[in-house]
Amino acid sequence: MKANPEEELDQTVKIYEGASLTVKGAVAADHASLVEEVTFKFFIDGKPNTDTDKTIAMSEGVKDASGAVTVTHTLTAPVVPDDKDSYVLDYHVFYKVKNKSGDTEPRESLAVKKFEVVPRTAQLKVTLDADGTALANFQFRVLQGGHQVGGIQSTFALDTANAKGDTVPAGSAEFNLDLKPGFTIVQASPCEITEQTVVTGRKREAKGNIKFRAVFITPKHGTVKQYVNEPLESYGQTGKGTGVVITAGVEGDEDRAIKIGSEKTKVHFRVTFGPDDSEPVAKSKRSDTDFPTKVVKVKDDDTTATIDEKTANQKYEGNVTLKGGTGSFKVQLGVAGGDTCLIEIAGSDKFLTDTNVLPDQTLKFQNWRRLHYELMVADIMRDRVVSSENGSLHDLNHSTLRRLENLGKQLFIEFMHDGTQIFSSMESAGQGTLLRRKFLGLPTTAEDEPAYVLTGRNWRELPDGQTWLEKHPGKTLYMTPCDSMLQWRKDTKEPAAATKDYNGSFTTATGSVDIAGSFSGKFMPYSGDDGADGITQIELTADITKDDSCCKYTAALKIDEDRSNRLLPDAPASVPETYCVLATAALGSGSETISLMVNFAGGADSAAPFTATISGPDQTRLTEFFNNMYDAMAADVKGTKGAMTTKLLGGSDTGKQEDACFKAVKDFLNTKFDACKKDLVFHPGLDESGNPRTATFQLLDVTDGLKSTINEWHYVLPEANIIDGTPGPGSYVGATKTADVCPVKVEFSVQAHVEAAGMAEGKLLAWVPAPPKGDVNLVRFILTSLSKIKDDKGIAHGHSSGNPGDCLDTAETLCDACVNFGRSRRLEVIP
């Protein structure tokens, strides 16, 4: 009889706990009838384990062909105790044998096979060294026989059920083992085991810390150019917006299946807003509660971040719990250009208290703003304004572009060129926009070389048919260069001098007015603030009256009357039905006389009154009589300043309306004379009523365009009025009052102009790029554009009675006040 007779002696087999183990008891054929039962007794580490003993009757065995019987038993290897790394399992086989006497006795057969049982799983419990609380996400490695088993292990963050349904508490880890006895726990970076309190058995315990290197998840560490005037994008993490959500984590966590970062893990941070006063560019003095420089929680109810304000708007410290693997807080960067924000983070809890502990990573923001600009360039200015390479249109010429870039560096503004449009000045420039360079006093190579001129009237308007691209509305400066810029006085420091009245006298038909000397300004046609001329409503009045000694005369018709009760020398007095009026006039020297009989008929009854109405045929004949008389006498009347004379003869009144008939002829002649007596006025400066002639002219009607210059207006008085052909001031103007000429009084309003280097109003900007100050002045007008932004938190530019950039009148670089002004302006929208 023997146990597992096929096994070799003293061979130990390693098995897992819970493995199925089959043991055998064999009885030879010649002893089979003597054995009643077989008992298997098991021993763990040499000590009986009665819970696993088993007795089996021989009748349950298996008999082979020879008559031998084998009894088998299958056992599940018991679980390795918590305090052991493994145990040795062996067994003894006992046979119950009948003697010849009929009694039975046990006979023992020692086992020939030993089993070393090892656990399938083990556990590690880790507590925080500082306070003994469960330490989640603590990472470690398991070694067996000098080799790592499985990957990096990690303690659970929460109570977790294992495969058997048992609960593995938070801060503990359960892991599989190889078929080897014993194992070793080794810390995995950045975790640290400070003490292994239970070092044997399948359930180990240790104290530890998680020492890790903190890293920026988004944005990444380094230096970031943050455009704070751009709309917020992706929580500010792509470089746009005034606020940035900072997300930190643990270095290497991105490659770990189980993250170090947890609610037990904190990243400590320090945030410093600057630059410091000792640096070349100090922090802006802008104080703005709406846009502060500050560290805040991502959400008001966020419990993961703790923030301590050390110095308001400048220094902050705190920590953020890495719940879910990462933690976040928010930095508000303000809106001032050039301001910085330095963020330092570390995993060490000594970072904020020990100056010897350096940050794991740093992240620095510098505030910038981005402004765009477009150019609208007249073709005649192209070569003077923009650069050209291989025939392609490019940006501003190199010197101007360098000046713009330098300004951007001072104010922390990145100027972006959105496009240049070249337009035909001949086709698109409005009235008065193209003037001769000679008129403006500009250098010229030809008599008629044109210049592109902008004035207070047209500088805000686009050339005909042109539009801006407007790729970035609200953040674009629209620039129009010009050869000359003339602004109204009302746009200067002397707004009361915008329009002045001129009163004087012209004594010659052609002459000039010294605009520069008289009005301390420049002459510019087509530049009135109402869209009309710069000199408006030119009122000309003859400086003479009918009472002046040279022309005291009023033309008149003198009618002599004879009512001697006779009609004609040979008229029959026996015709009572007709009343006659005889009109006569001596023509010329009296050698010729014309006459006309006008008849008034009465009724059939001799007592009826006459009808005091001149008949149609008599009106025609009487008109012819007057015309002949006028034609013959007009010249003498003008020359002698006399009167035109005629004579009417008729009978006296008998009560039959003879007076009314006589008056009808007289009134008819006076009416005719009144209608044409204007032609008898003796002085061309007086109208038909004897009043001084007046006329209103537009600038173009009386301007000598070839002689006029920006400083001097040359006029030409017309000989006749265009509308009615009456004498114009040019036909009678003279230095003294005579019968033929007189001075002409002139009145007009002048909108004198001041030559300017350009103008700016919000997003619209025009400037004269001519050297030597063209590039410098562009800087000034950009600053003026920015000053139109309503921003009561901005820093004053320092020129209390002027505009930002006025310091460039005498300097090549901006003063500190102007730089501070430019840095402090909010640039979200340019009006």
Side-chain angles (χ1 to χ4, degrees):
M1 297 177 288
K2 58 181 180 179
N4 289 354
E6 70 278 13
E7 299 286 354
E8 296 182 5
L9 294 176
D10 298 327
Q11 182 181 5
T12 300
V13 178
K14 294 180 177 61
I15 63 173
Y16 281 119
E17 62 185 1
S20 293
L21 176 65
T22 300
V23 294
K24 298 178 181 180
V27 181
D30 55 349
H31 295 133
S33 61
L34 300 176
V35 179
E36 293 183 352
E37 58 185 19
V38 178
T39 299
F40 298 95
K41 290 183 179 289
F42 294 91
F43 297 84
I44 294 178
D45 291 335
K47 295 180 180 180
N49 185 40
T50 57
D51 292 340
T52 56
D53 290 352
K54 182 67 175 179
T55 299
I56 302 173
M58 280 292 288
S59 58
E60 297 180 16
V62 177
K63 183 183 292 188
D64 61 14
S66 67
V69 176
T70 300
V71 178
T72 61
H73 171 56
T74 301
L75 172 74
T76 299
V79 173
V80 177
D82 289 348
D83 59 347
K84 290 183 174 293
D85 293 329
S86 67
Y87 64 86
V88 175
L89 174 69
D90 63 7
Y91 63 93
H92 294 188
V93 181
F94 292 86
Y95 299 91
K96 188 175 182 182
V97 180
K98 292 184 293 183
N99 295 324
K100 291 181 179 181
S101 63
D103 296 330
T104 60
E105 61 176 331
R107 293 184 182 181
E108 179 181 4
S109 175
L110 296 177
V112 297
K113 183 73 173 178
K114 292 183 178 181
F115 301 91
E116 185 171 15
V117 181
V118 298
R120 288 183 179 275
T121 62
Q123 291 184 8
L124 174 65
K125 176 183 178 182
V126 184
T127 56
L128 189 62
D129 187 33
D131 59 13
T133 59
L135 184 55
N137 293 336
F138 184 89
Q139 298 191 355
F140 60 94
R141 294 181 294 155
V142 179
L143 303 182
Q144 283 186 293
H147 300 285
Q148 182 172 324
V149 180
I152 293 178
Q153 311 295 331
S154 179
T155 57
F156 296 137
L158 302 172
D159 292 351
T160 305
N162 62 14
K164 295 183 293 185
D166 297 333
T167 298
V168 180
S172 299
E174 185 173 86
F175 44 89
N176 295 326
L177 296 173
D178 279 349
L179 195 60
K180 298 176 183 178
F183 62 90
T184 302
I185 299 296
V186 179
Q187 65 193 21
S189 178
C191 300
E192 178 185 42
I193 295 176
T194 58
E195 181 184 1
Q196 293 196 33
T197 54
V198 177
V199 297
T200 61
R202 67 183 302 167
K203 288 191 175 181
R204 309 285 179 89
E205 295 183 10
K207 294 180 180 180
N209 293 316
I210 299 179
K211 292 186 176 181
F212 61 88
R213 178 178 167 83
V215 294
F216 290 102
I217 306 300
T218 51
K220 296 297 183 183
H221 71 97
T223 300
V224 176
K225 222 178 190 183
Q226 188 78 10
Y227 296 98
V228 294
N229 70 326
E230 295 281 9
L232 184 68
E233 178 183 276
S234 300
Y235 306 105
Q237 295 169 349
T238 58
K240 294 181 179 181
T242 60
V244 185
V245 173
I246 306 299
T247 301
V250 175
E251 184 179 49
D253 257 7
E254 63 271 17
D255 298 322
R256 295 186 177 101
I258 300 176
K259 312 299 183 185
I260 294 293
S262 71
E263 70 275 4
K264 292 287 187 176
T265 312
K266 293 181 180 180
V267 167
H268 305 273
F269 61 80
R270 179 166 53 233
V271 180
T272 306
F273 292 98
D276 187 78
D277 290 343
S278 62
E279 297 183 53
V281 177
K283 187 177 189 295
S284 173
K285 300 302 182 183
R286 179 187 178 98
S287 179
D288 190 344
T289 55
D290 292 330
F291 294 92
T293 50
K294 191 177 182 69
V295 180
V296 297
K297 297 179 179 181
V298 175
K299 293 183 179 179
D300 291 341
D301 59 354
D302 181 18
T303 59
T304 63
T306 301
I307 300 168
D308 183 11
E309 186 176 65
K310 295 295 184 180
T311 303
N313 301 318
Q314 284 192 298
K315 290 187 180 295
Y316 295 82
E317 292 179 355
N319 58 68
V320 59
T321 300
L322 306 184
K323 186 177 182 180
T326 62
S328 299
F329 56 95
K330 185 177 181 180
V331 291
Q332 295 176 340
L333 303 174
V335 296
D339 278 3
T340 60
C341 174
L342 176 64
I343 307 171
E344 302 168 284
I345 59 173
S348 172
D349 55 4
K350 297 180 180 179
F351 172 61
L352 299 178
T353 57
D354 188 345
T355 57
N356 292 319
V357 177
L358 299 178
D360 294 337
Q361 281 191 345
T362 60
L363 174 62
K364 186 175 184 179
F365 292 94
Q366 186 177 54
N367 289 1
W368 279 74
R369 286 78 57 79
R370 184 174 282 153
L371 289 183
H372 302 258
Y373 64 94
E374 294 183 35
L375 299 171
M376 185 72 66
V377 184
D379 52 4
I380 59 176
M381 297 193 67
R382 172 175 175 162
D383 294 340
R384 299 193 295 275
V385 176
V386 299
S387 61
S388 180
E389 186 175 330
N390 298 325
S392 300
L393 189 65
H394 288 275
D395 204 344
L396 291 163
N397 61 46
H398 297 306
S399 64
T400 308
L401 193 56
R402 282 196 300 271
R403 179 72 67 170
L404 194 61
E405 290 171 348
N406 289 335
L407 174 67
K409 292 176 182 178
Q410 285 184 288
L411 305 186
F412 298 90
I413 296 174
E414 190 174 283
F415 291 100
M416 308 291 292
H417 177 228
D418 273 1
T420 297
Q421 299 183 68
I422 305 294
F423 64 91
S424 169
S425 54
M426 294 301 295
E427 295 177 1
S428 301
Q431 186 182 39
T433 306
L434 288 181
L435 294 177
R436 291 179 299 114
R437 294 180 67 85
K438 186 176 181 180
F439 170 84
L440 297 167
L442 299 176
T444 180
T445 57
E447 179 72 21
D448 295 327
E449 184 179 1
Y452 186 63
V453 181
L454 293 177
T455 68
R457 176 182 66 88
N458 62 5
W459 81 270
R460 297 176 182 87
E461 300 174 1
L462 285 172
D464 296 341
Q466 303 300 310
T467 58
W468 295 110
L469 300 176
E470 295 189 337
K471 294 179 181 178
H472 298 90
K475 287 188 173 62
T476 303
L477 294 170
Y478 300 103
M479 303 180 181
T480 305
C482 58
D483 284 309
S484 179
M485 182 80 194
L486 295 169
Q487 66 182 122
W488 291 317
R489 281 298 187 99
K490 68 178 182 179
D491 292 326
T492 69
K493 298 177 183 178
E494 304 176 76
T499 301
K500 285 189 175 181
D501 294 331
Y502 177 84
N503 294 281
S505 292
F506 291 163
T507 59
T508 58
T510 60
S512 64
V513 175
D514 181 4
I515 301 294
S518 300
F519 301 99
S520 301
K522 304 293 183 180
F523 164 59
M524 176 64 193
Y526 313 110
S527 58
D529 60 2
D530 57 357
D533 301 324
I535 296 178
T536 58
Q537 298 298 311
I538 303 171
E539 302 282 350
L540 298 173
T541 304
D543 189 10
I544 196 168
T545 68
K546 61 185 177 181
D547 295 325
D548 283 323
S549 59
C550 64
C551 54
K552 289 185 177 179
Y553 167 74
T554 301
L557 174 64
K558 181 180 179 183
I559 301 177
D560 295 331
E561 301 179 16
D562 185 351
R563 301 289 300 276
S564 60
N565 199 26
R566 60 187 177 88
L567 301 178
L568 289 174
D570 54 352
S574 60
V575 186
E577 294 84 359
T578 299
Y579 179 74
C580 299
V581 177
L582 178 63
T584 63
L587 304 180
S589 60
S591 59
E592 182 181 355
T593 301
I594 60 172
S595 61
L596 171 68
M597 183 76 73
V598 181
N599 297 311
F600 297 90
D605 185 351
S606 59
F610 296 104
T611 301
T613 301
I614 304 174
S615 67
D618 277 353
Q619 287 188 25
T620 301
R621 292 168 55 241
L622 193 56
T623 298
E624 182 180 1
F625 169 82
F626 177 81
N627 290 341
N628 291 335
M629 177 184 66
Y630 184 87
D631 291 342
M633 297 183 181
D636 288 342
V637 170
K638 289 181 181 180
T640 61
K641 303 176 187 177
M644 188 174 292
T645 60
T646 185
K647 187 174 184 179
L648 296 181
L649 296 89
S652 58
D653 189 74
T654 63
K656 297 177 67 177
Q657 292 213 92
E658 290 89 348
D659 283 351
C661 293
F662 193 88
K663 183 176 181 300
V665 176
K666 184 177 179 181
D667 290 345
F668 187 91
L669 293 176
N670 279 323
T671 299
K672 288 293 183 181
F673 181 79
D674 288 342
C676 59
K677 68 180 180 179
K678 63 182 181 297
D679 296 330
L680 299 177
V681 173
F682 72 97
H683 199 287
L686 296 177
D687 61 17
E688 61 274 12
S689 300
N691 297 317
R693 293 189 182 279
T694 62
T696 301
F697 293 96
Q698 299 303 314
L699 179 63
L700 186 62
D701 298 332
V702 293
T703 296
D704 187 335
L706 294 178
K707 291 183 179 180
S708 292
T709 69
I710 196 170
N711 295 312
E712 193 171 61
W713 171 50
H714 284 254
Y715 64 84
V716 178
L717 302 183
E719 291 285 330
N721 291 315
I722 298 173
I723 297 177
D724 57 11
T726 55
S731 66
Y732 54 79
V733 65
T736 60
K737 296 180 182 180
T738 70
D740 302 310
V741 297
C742 65
V744 174
K745 292 186 293 185
V746 59
E747 295 181 5
F748 53 81
S749 294
V750 176
Q751 289 177 335
H753 288 68
V754 177
E755 284 186 292
M759 295 183 72
E761 188 175 277
K763 61 188 175 184
L764 300 179
L765 184 155
W767 99 102
V768 180
K773 299 285 283 186
D775 298 346
V776 174
N777 286 328
L778 177 59
V779 170
R780 297 181 62 182
F781 301 133
I782 290 175
L783 290 174
T784 301
S785 293
L786 303 186
S787 69
K788 297 298 181 182
I789 300 172
K790 293 182 178 179
D791 185 1
D792 58 357
K793 303 299 183 182
I795 306 300
H797 55 73
H799 303 286
S800 59
S801 60
N803 294 314
D806 283 355
C807 46
L808 295 175
D809 280 338
T810 56
E812 279 294 311
T813 57
L814 290 174
C815 65
D816 290 343
C818 282
V819 171
N820 291 333
F821 158 82
R823 285 181 55 202
S824 71
R825 301 302 286 182
R826 283 183 61 188
L827 302 183
E828 283 84 357
V829 177
I830 303 176

